[in-house]
């Protein structure tokens, strides 16, 4: 434990010298960051770190990357999902790989000059994004050859085989990422900061009304920092009947180090391993 809002779980049998057989997954939101180490030879989750309620993500992340011995290991593969306000989803029919600068005009925040592109082939669109300049430089200096994704990627990876219309809500301690899909269509995505259940209720009603969701039939799937019967869950329960928590890759990865934790806390973090 290195911070009042952080937690570190490590398999006591984890040998850092096996890092070349492991993938490092790093998820950075607007107010938190977490990482996981998965041994790809044994398909075992070896470590999870989570730090919530960060008021200065660039500074906290930079310090962690410099001082955490696990993050300085030589991994097989490194995948990073990053929240950014400068992210757009372009339908493949409209995407022009030879004229990428045209998309920068849609970005409202001053950020890095680097433009990142990730195709979502099964959903028929391409994600284009830039990062906060300091985060971009920090990742480039500390995590060489990492694969970058926007925050949407692991959320879609968790539910990409579903055909039913679904509202996916991925929570941090003080925000949530909302995604609506139906089959292989991305219908809606947005990120919200919330201070309390009343504010969350307002945004939830906004989503329901804007998208005209059928609350009796729509499927709601939850991951992240939310508990059954807490205030946020009770808000969801007022409107929706079909509510479930997303399990973390139970068929692919042995995650016994999470046995004493609500496993859905880290579903989207671990789903990053499915992103390509």
């Amino acid at each position: 434990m290195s911070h009042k809002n952080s937690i570190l779980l490590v398999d006591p049998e984890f040998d850092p010298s096996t890092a070349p057989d492991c993938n490092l997954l790093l998820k950075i939101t607007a107010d938190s960051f977490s990482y996981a180490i998965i041994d790809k030879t044994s398909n075992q989750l070896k470590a999870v770190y989570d730090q919530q309620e960060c008021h200065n993500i660039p500074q906290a992340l930079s310090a962690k990357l410099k001082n955490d011995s696990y993050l300085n290991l030589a991994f097989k593969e490194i995948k990073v999902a990053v929240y950014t306000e400068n992210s757009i989803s372009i339908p493949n029919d409209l995407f022009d790989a030879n004229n990428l600068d045209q998309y920068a005009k849609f970005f409202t925040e001053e950020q890095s000059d680097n433009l990142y592109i990730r195709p979502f082939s099964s959903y028929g669109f391409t994600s284009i994004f830039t990062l906060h300049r300091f985060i971009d430089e920090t990742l480039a200096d500390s995590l060489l050859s990492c694969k970058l994704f926007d925050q949407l990627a692991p959320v879609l990876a968790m539910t990409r085989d579903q055909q039913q219309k679904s509202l996916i809500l991925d929570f941090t301690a003080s925000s949530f990422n909302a995604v609506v899909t139906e089959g292989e269509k991305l219908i809606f995505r947005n990120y919200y900061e919330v201070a309390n259940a009343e504010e969350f209720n307002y945004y939830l009603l906004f989503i329901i009304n804007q998208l005209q969701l059928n609350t009796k039939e729509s499927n709601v799937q939850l991951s992240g920092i939310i508990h059954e019967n807490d205030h946020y869950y009770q808000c969801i329960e007022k409107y929706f009947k079909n509510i479930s928590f997303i399990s973390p890759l139970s068929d692919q990865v042995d995650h016994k180090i999470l046995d004493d934790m609500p496993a859905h806390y880290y579903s989207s973090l671990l789903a990053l391993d499915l992103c390509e």
Side-chain angles (χ1 to χ4, degrees), residues 208-223:
I208 292 170
N209 292 331
Q210 184 182 38
L211 302 179
Q212 297 182 327
L213 294 180
N214 184 329
T215 56
K216 293 182 179 180
E217 296 182 4
S218 295
N219 181 33
V220 179
Q221 295 182 287
L222 309 176
S223 64

Side-chain angles (χ1 to χ4, degrees), residues 97-116:
N98 297 318
N99 192 15
L100 296 178
D101 289 341
Q102 67 176 314
Y103 302 115
K105 65 183 179 183
F106 297 106
F107 296 150
T108 59
E109 298 295 321
E110 182 180 354
Q111 303 208 341
S112 166
D113 293 332
N114 294 322
L115 191 66
Y116 296 101

Side-chain angles (χ1 to χ4, degrees), residues 147-178:
K147 292 183 178 180
L148 287 173
F149 302 86
D150 81 3
Q151 190 175 344
L152 178 65
V155 178
L156 289 181
M158 289 191 295
T159 57
R160 62 187 176 191
D161 295 327
Q162 297 181 8
Q163 298 303 314
Q164 182 181 359
K165 180 175 284 189
S166 297
L167 169 62
I168 304 106
L169 302 175
D170 185 36
F171 291 84
T172 72
S174 52
S175 67
F176 71 99
N177 198 19

Side-chain angles (χ1 to χ4, degrees), residues 118-150:
R118 284 291 172 189
F120 287 79
S121 301
S122 60
Y123 285 91
F125 71 88
T126 297
S127 175
I128 302 175
F129 58 98
T130 63
L131 304 181
H132 184 288
R133 188 179 303 276
F134 189 76
I135 290 179
D136 202 10
E137 293 172 353
T138 297
L139 293 174
D141 291 341
S142 302
L143 298 177
L144 299 178
S145 302
C146 67
K147 292 183 178 180
L148 287 173
F149 302 86
D150 81 3

Side-chain angles (χ1 to χ4, degrees), residues 172-189:
T172 72
S174 52
S175 67
F176 71 99
N177 198 19
V179 174
V180 176
T181 63
E182 185 171 15
E184 296 182 343
K185 294 180 180 179
L186 173 65
I187 297 173
F188 175 85
R189 63 170 293 186

Side-chain angles (χ1 to χ4, degrees), residues 220-268:
V220 179
Q221 295 182 287
L222 309 176
S223 64
I225 312 301
I226 182 171
H227 308 276
E228 189 170 0
N229 296 323
D230 72 8
H231 293 311
Y232 289 175
Y233 188 92
Q234 289 171 0
C235 285
I236 299 167
E237 211 172 22
K238 286 192 298 185
Y239 310 110
F240 292 94
K241 301 299 182 184
N242 303 317
I243 306 170
S244 61
F245 292 96
I246 303 175
S247 298
L249 306 178
S250 57
D251 294 334
Q252 293 92 347
V253 176
D254 176 357
H255 50 79
K256 63 183 177 182
I257 67 169
L258 299 179
D259 283 352
D260 294 329
M261 300 287 294
H264 62 270
Y265 271 18
Y266 306 111
S267 296
S268 60

